Amino acid sequence: MSTPAIVLKSVVSIVGQFPVLAGVDLRVERGEVVVVEGPNGAGKSSLLRLCAGLLPVSRGEAQVAGYDLQEGRDGARKHIGLLGHSPALYDDLTVWENLVFHMKAARADPARIPMALERLGVGGRLESTRAGLLSAGQRRRVAIAFLVARHPEIWLLDEPHASLDAEGREMLGETVAQAAAAGSTVLIASHELEEALVLASRVVSISGGVVVGDGVTAASRIGSRAGTARFGAVAAGTGQILAEHSLHQDLLQAPVQGTDQEILRDSPQGLRPSEDGCNVA
Amino acid sequence: MLRDTLLVAGKDLRIELRSRVVINQMAPFALLVLVLFAFALGPDRNPLITAAPGLFWMAVLFSTMFAVQRSFSLESAEGLHDSMVLAGIDPAGFFAGKLLAIGCELFALEVLVTSGIIVLYGAHVKSPAELLVSGILGTVGLAAAGTIYGALVSGMRLRETLLPLLFLPVASPVLIAGTRAWQIGLQGNSSASSPWLGLLGAFAALYICAGIVLYGPMEDMK
Amino acid sequence: MKYIYAGYIIALAVLFLYGVTLMVRRARLEKAARTLEMENGRSVLRD
Amino acid sequence: MCSLESLLEVMATIDKAIDKRRTVMAAEPVTRPAPWSARRNRWVRAIGVAAILAIALDVYLGLWVTPPDKVQGNLVRLLYIHPALATVALYVAFALAALSSALWLWRRTRAPFFDRLAAASVETGIVFIALTIVTGSLWGRPVWGVYWTWDATLTSTALLLLLFLGYVAIRKSTADPQRRARRSAITALVAFMDVPLIQFSVLWWKTLHQKSTVLNPSLTPKIGGIMGATLALSFVAFLLLFVWMLINRYRIEVLKESLEGAEMEVAIRERVAEAGTSGHLELPADLRVPVSGG
């Protein structure tokens, strides 16, 4: 395994007078897809913004993409793509101009834009309309398209499913799957767990600015809508064992590829599959 | 750095052409200021002419503040500022880009206000060289100082009131020197203008360097 | 001559007042720091 | 279904994780500054007393002992306050503020000490410069017949006062200590850079505009003997006073920040405690499996 994508050791981040993160320990390997969940105001978005180098590391250590967030922050930023709550678009510029500006600012090659826009279904006519006229869902797709075009090493998606329709969510799923397959690391902060858990190989629960749980999801193939995820994770901090229970009843017909052991073996946390199929972190 | 400067300036000016805020709102405002001054100083010509240089620079000062506030409101959207920082744009480039964009907008406004003064106040210009040079130097200086303070207060709660409080005292030398240079421009004895232009030049140079040096630490404090 | 006296009196009065307020503020803050210290059982002061 | 032991084991790991978090926070080493040992306090008090004595002597000499000036008559007596206040404010307080701000901005020499020193010197400087303006206009009143004429130095000093009031405004309106320090450092530097420009422009504006008044308070008439001695004394006296005020104001800043810091520690601990109890995974109903077993 090369250097891990994200390493946080008891990181405290204080914004204003308030400790949004009060001692976070997290280790994410390259190529992992991790869902960060927790109640509102638990610090999910703050964790993502910290990894993006936008929040100060008041105490503890933080390395992202091999760069220390206190000294080499600029180095890390080249490898990080952040999809925030409000997509970063200038309302007066057209979609195309927006993306060209952001790509050039990030020193990326604007030639990848058409492909990315097509993939997210916002290409063609939409390119020349002003960003201000787009619907929230379209704006989010454009923002995702920017990430696809830039293809950073680390994807930080904050509530990516917000304002996306069914088709949009599927596209997001595919994009994340392809990114993970291509070796990028994806962190998703989300409330919509059914969608997010399908994509993720690991769940991190955060509450009160502290990581209170870290469970592994045995997510099998994502691919088509019919993918199922055998949920062997222990949702830490809740005491509820999420036994073998597929996500949606209607999804049962698609067989789960690969045996239990095969799926769980490549999960980084080395889960012990006990005989009765109940896996404990 | 030059790359980022042109990138940011191009973006700002393109947004300006699309949204036409300067043309639709600030230009009428500048002329309005001239008319209000006329009301304040009475209709007869000579007080207006003697006060014309000062009025010009007062109009420019107010326009600078609006231009700075407008320019930094573009990036006020949460996501936008993060993406700018994340993209790793060189802070000095960002500063110079903003400075260039605001400078162009201000210069356009100044041409308008000058013609306004000539028409409304009937001032006739003896040596336009002074006006042009002092206009350019003054604009660059005001834009530089304005951009520094614009960035400093952007993101703060009471930035609308803080910006004038911080910016206007700093800009006072430009007002003084600019007015004198303009007066000479109108009266024509251009020999006496060199100290004032020197002062304007010094102000502009000083604040451009300050912006480039100080913009780095300012940026990563967001 | 009265302007001279006025000048002196104003200057000295303001300086004296400012000096006293500084001393009072400092005393109050020192006390607050000490009481907070008692509560947590260890010092809160950072240099 | 899952056995009970694995469930209990899971619960144990969670509690251990949260406790570890709490102990880490509690054991946070908080450096404790020397509580200003008695010796240092005595020094501060000594400076204070010396300042008061020097000023008393200065006032006594200035008002009664020194002879009235041939030209200005008794007006010259303000000479023993006004220039001293002005020089201390401009060339000590604000210069110190600008220097410490620059040092704070420079990464290698960055230390909280400079930020607090800048804050303390600006606030004290503002008091001094305000008094300079008051004494200056009082000096001008009998001469010009009006409190305020657009005299070169008076105007530029007034502008400087406004400039550094901006510094205080910025400092007061940001909460985050790190960001506040950075913003005020930049404001101090940018403001101080403007000082020479303002001085020149106002001076030229005044002199090139019309001949400057003979009795310009800043043009101290050539003096010697007892008057020169008193003038020198006035500089020393006000400098001592400034140093005393600066030290106290600095100490207040340290105390204020430490108290802010202490409240923050408590906030962190509450956050951590809150994490232990309410963390849970809201799952759609069909997924929630009731915990069974003994």
Side-chain angles (χ1 to χ4, degrees), chain A residues 14 17-20 22-23 25 37 41-42 59 193-194 207-210 235 237-239 241-242 245 272 276 278, chain D residues 1-2 7 9 11 14 21 28 177 260 264-265 268 271 274-275 278-284 286-289 291:
Chain A
I14 294 162
Q17 298 290 70
F18 186 70
V20 282
D25 283 280
E37 66 78 30
R59 273 193 224 115
L193 286 160
E194 303 111 6
S207 164
V210 173
T238 62
I241 303 288
L242 307 162
H245 205 96
R272 264 191 305 82
D276 59 8
C278 168
Chain D
M1 276 315 291
C2 283
L7 167 64
E9 188 195 309
M11 295 302 291
I14 297 161
R21 180 68 60 264
E28 199 62 33
E260 275 165 23
M264 185 123 56
E265 301 292 334
I268 291 181
R271 246 341 280 256
E274 168 211 303
S278 70
H280 57 76
L281 188 63
E282 311 112 348
L283 266 180
D286 64 342
L287 261 179
R288 198 176 300 277
V289 172
V291 174

Side-chain angles (χ1 to χ4, degrees), chain A residues 185-265:
Chain A
T185 316
V186 181
L187 229 63
I188 306 173
S190 174
H191 280 301
E192 279 144 68
L193 286 160
E194 303 111 6
E195 302 292 336
L197 293 180
V198 171
L199 313 171
S201 60
R202 190 165 139 217
V203 177
V204 169
S205 309
I206 187 164
S207 164
V210 173
V211 170
V212 287
D214 195 334
V216 172
T217 64
S220 64
R221 292 305 149 271
I222 294 126
S224 69
R225 188 83 187 79
T228 64
R230 181 164 310 133
F231 214 90
V234 168
T238 62
Q240 271 127 355
I241 303 288
L242 307 162
E244 289 183 45
H245 205 96
S246 67
L247 283 181
H248 288 285
Q249 301 309 346
D250 53 28
L251 296 178
L252 273 182
Q253 74 286 7
V256 171
Q257 286 77 18
T259 60
D260 250 3
Q261 279 59 28
E262 199 185 53
I263 293 169
L264 300 181
R265 193 183 59 255

Side-chain angles (χ1 to χ4, degrees), chain B residues 37-53 55 115-124 186:
Chain B
F37 278 146
F39 293 155
L41 298 176
D44 58 1
R45 198 169 286 281
N46 33 42
L48 280 179
I49 288 186
T50 47
L55 305 186
S115 43
I117 285 184
I118 293 170
V119 168
L120 291 176
Y121 297 171
H124 35 73
L186 293 184

Side-chain angles (χ1 to χ4, degrees), chain B residues 164-189:
Chain B
L165 172 63
L166 289 169
F167 174 67
L168 290 176
V170 168
S172 49
V174 175
L175 183 60
I176 297 171
T179 312
R180 284 291 154 272
W182 249 66
Q183 223 157 25
I184 293 161
L186 293 184
Q187 281 141 15
N189 49 7

